[in-house]
Amino acid sequence: MTDKINQPLPSANRTVFFVSDGTGITAETFGHSVLTQFDMKFKQVRLPFIDTLEKAHDAVRRINEAVTPDGKRPIVFSTLVKTDLANVVFKSKGMHMDLIQTFVSPLEQELGVKSTHTIGRSHNIADSEEYKNRIEAINFSLAHDDGQSNKNLSTADVILVGVSRSGKTPTSLYLAMQYGIKAANYPLIPDDFERGKLPSALPEFKGKIFGLSIAAERLSEIRNERRPGSKYASLENCRYEINEAEAMMKREGIRWLSSTAKSIEEISTTILQEIKSDVRVY
Amino acid sequence: MTDKINQPLPSANRTVFFVSDGTGITAETFGHSVLTQFDMKFKQVRLPFIDTLEKAHDAVRRINEAVTPDGKRPIVFSTLVKTDLANVVFKSKGMHMDLIQTFVSPLEQELGVKSTHTIGRSHNIADSEEYKNRIEAINFSLAHDDGQSNKNLSTADVILVGVSRSGKTPTSLYLAMQYGIKAANYPLIPDDFERGKLPSALPEFKGKIFGLSIAAERLSEIRNERRPGSKYASLENCRYEINEAEAMMKREGIRWLSSTAKSIEEISTTILQEIKSDVRVY
């Protein structure tokens, strides 16, 4: 865990708080999206599980202490469901932006019903079918990482293929963890290129295979971190493997994308669209 | 991947769209938080990568097509950074709630600067130090899953311990994937209980060990899914292992929590607080 500083940015000299009666993950995600619109550096503090009046008062104290000597007030992103807790926190000296309070009330009008104003379904998340599916998918994806197992491939939602270090493992785990997608992954290796065929377990599941490729320069860089100076990591070998893998995917009619400049979030979103799961009923 | 229906809820007969010029993950997270305040079922559609005027018009068409015959308009959660794209989408017949447009402008006033109004730093995510740390942490956590390796434990940010199936693996992967935390994990097994000692690689790192425990009934349920009717899964054995593990953690002064009714998000948030990483500078 290191500081998350990508480049020197001017400091805003402001503290940002993410306050929630739950984990604070939504408040933080939401706050980040807004803050990335500003080329500034902020000190960020997450205050999760603020679910009693006492904790709410404590949060107010911490927010107030972060007002700078020259009077710059902290920025507070929050997801506070209970109105009594929200009303305490809102009395702090910070600038408040609350996701729930801002949007729930117009939605109540639109839907013609009152919101539950409870802590929300997310707190029973660990008991839900959705959650169990996610945990099951993580176990599946781990057991089917790197071609480790051919068992139960028929129950996979997607099978990722690509050369070693093209991003298959983190993408499989992300798909499982965030979306409950059972994602197996298989490496394409020189043996496969010589035979000119996909790994033998795969052809019958061609409909759910998705390929990852990557620029040779980037691949060589990544492999060199693992095995510096090896033939495996050489630019020449990376070029060979990638050419062969892309030729094979074309020949077999496998959809693929380049992971070079993409995050696992972006790769996963594209795969989700391809496997038609952008429509879900909750 | 199955339907994410936890319990029968009345259908709102509404389609909800998550529209973004990026992955749509923030729009979806934000929308879910708001929608969970309503005990209703919604049909949900994600429209990611809406980054050209043509795609924006296409999104409008899809939103308009989802107006029901009796005139119920769709609900649209969006994170559209570029004003020209946002202005196109906002002309749809949906009810619009945009995270960026709602909060960026008050923040510009507060900070006294204009926002960048570009697609945002998140699009260069794959090149950032933060992203590289996350990928490195995933690799570390995988290599150190289930006590597989004692190498480089000194570089771990946290070491999770607990009986088999107490939730160590998914928590380790979540910490790595979301926060770039290098999380090793070690099972506590009957051998350790007989010796009355922690696995031999661990005592020198006691300061960063964190324990997971779980209710015996729940553990037995989980283990029975894997190995039905086994001694390993029996309630009696689960009780024995949990008692021993908890006694050992108390004796060794290891902080621990019960994972029984907690999601990996909640467990991870608690661990993050314990290892003092609720303050970060971006």
Side-chain angles (χ1 to χ4, degrees), chain B:
Chain B
M1 196 174 30
T2 58
D3 281 351
K4 307 292 191 297
I5 302 169
N6 305 333
Q7 49 197 313
L9 289 175
S11 169
N13 201 17
R14 297 266 189 166
T15 305
V16 174
F17 288 89
F18 305 110
V19 184
S20 174
D21 38 27
T23 60
I25 291 169
T26 303
E28 195 168 337
T29 307
F30 141 65
H32 280 180
S33 277
V34 175
L35 291 178
T36 51
Q37 302 314 311
F38 295 90
D39 268 340
M40 291 182 142
K41 213 165 69 182
F42 302 90
K43 184 181 167 204
Q44 308 193 27
V45 183
R46 201 205 277 195
L47 302 179
F49 306 127
I50 305 298
D51 50 9
T52 65
L53 285 171
E54 198 189 335
K55 289 183 194 167
H57 285 291
D58 211 51
V60 169
R61 191 183 47 72
R62 288 192 64 178
I63 295 167
N64 289 346
E65 281 171 9
V67 176
T68 62
D70 60 342
K72 287 192 178 150
R73 60 181 179 162
I75 292 157
V76 183
F77 292 99
S78 58
T79 51
L80 290 159
V81 176
K82 292 205 168 156
T83 320
D84 56 338
L85 298 177
N87 287 342
V88 170
V89 174
F90 291 171
K91 288 205 184 100
S92 90
K93 293 176 183 156
M95 175 198 186
H96 288 276
M97 284 168 283
D98 190 278
L99 193 55
I100 308 289
Q101 307 291 330
T102 306
F103 293 110
V104 164
S105 160
L107 255 182
E108 284 181 336
Q109 280 223 303
E110 177 71 22
L111 297 171
V113 293
K114 284 278 167 198
S115 69
T116 55
H117 273 299
T118 62
I119 295 287
R121 264 184 259 162
S122 58
H123 263 234
N124 303 316
I125 189 173
D127 296 321
S128 71
E129 271 310 304
E130 180 187 348
Y131 185 74
K132 281 178 197 154
N133 287 339
R134 285 173 59 205
I135 298 295
E136 204 184 310
I138 294 170
N139 290 330
F140 182 94
S141 296
L142 276 176
H144 292 80
D145 183 35
D146 206 31
Q148 274 177 69
S149 168
N150 295 336
K151 271 201 283 184
N152 304 320
L153 275 186
S154 59
T155 65
D157 294 305
V158 66
I159 301 172
L160 301 180
V161 299
V163 301
S164 162
R165 297 283 122 193
S166 55
K168 301 180 301 299
T169 296
T171 303
S172 301
L173 290 173
Y174 188 84
L175 283 167
M177 189 163 282
Q178 296 296 327
Y179 302 108
I181 300 264
K182 289 181 178 167
N185 78 76
Y186 272 76
L188 296 179
I189 58 175
D191 280 2
D192 302 314
F193 307 140
E194 280 159 33
R195 288 189 309 118
K197 285 181 177 166
L198 284 174
S200 61
L202 300 187
E204 61 174 309
F205 303 111
K206 214 188 272 180
K208 55 187 176 190
I209 298 180
F210 198 93
L212 296 186
S213 196
I214 182 169
E217 291 70 20
R218 179 79 190 111
L219 182 62
S220 174
E221 219 177 279
I222 295 170
R223 289 183 170 186
N224 263 311
E225 280 167 25
R226 292 231 138 182
R227 301 203 209 151
S230 62
K231 185 193 165 209
Y232 164 80
S234 71
L235 187 55
E236 192 193 344
N237 182 58
C238 290
R239 279 208 183 104
Y240 161 74
E241 289 193 26
I242 289 165
N243 283 341
E244 291 288 330
E246 293 187 355
M248 182 179 284
M249 294 192 285
K250 269 177 208 152
R251 211 162 54 230
E252 301 277 353
I254 291 172
R255 300 155 294 179
W256 55 279
L257 60 78
S258 167
S259 69
T260 311
K262 289 198 169 71
S263 66
I264 48 178
E265 284 82 354
E266 290 167 322
I267 299 169
S268 300
T269 299
T270 304
I271 293 172
L272 276 176
Q273 284 190 294
E274 287 289 329
I275 63 176
K276 302 278 176 246
S277 75
D278 59 339
V279 179
R280 289 183 287 175
V281 177
Y282 283 75

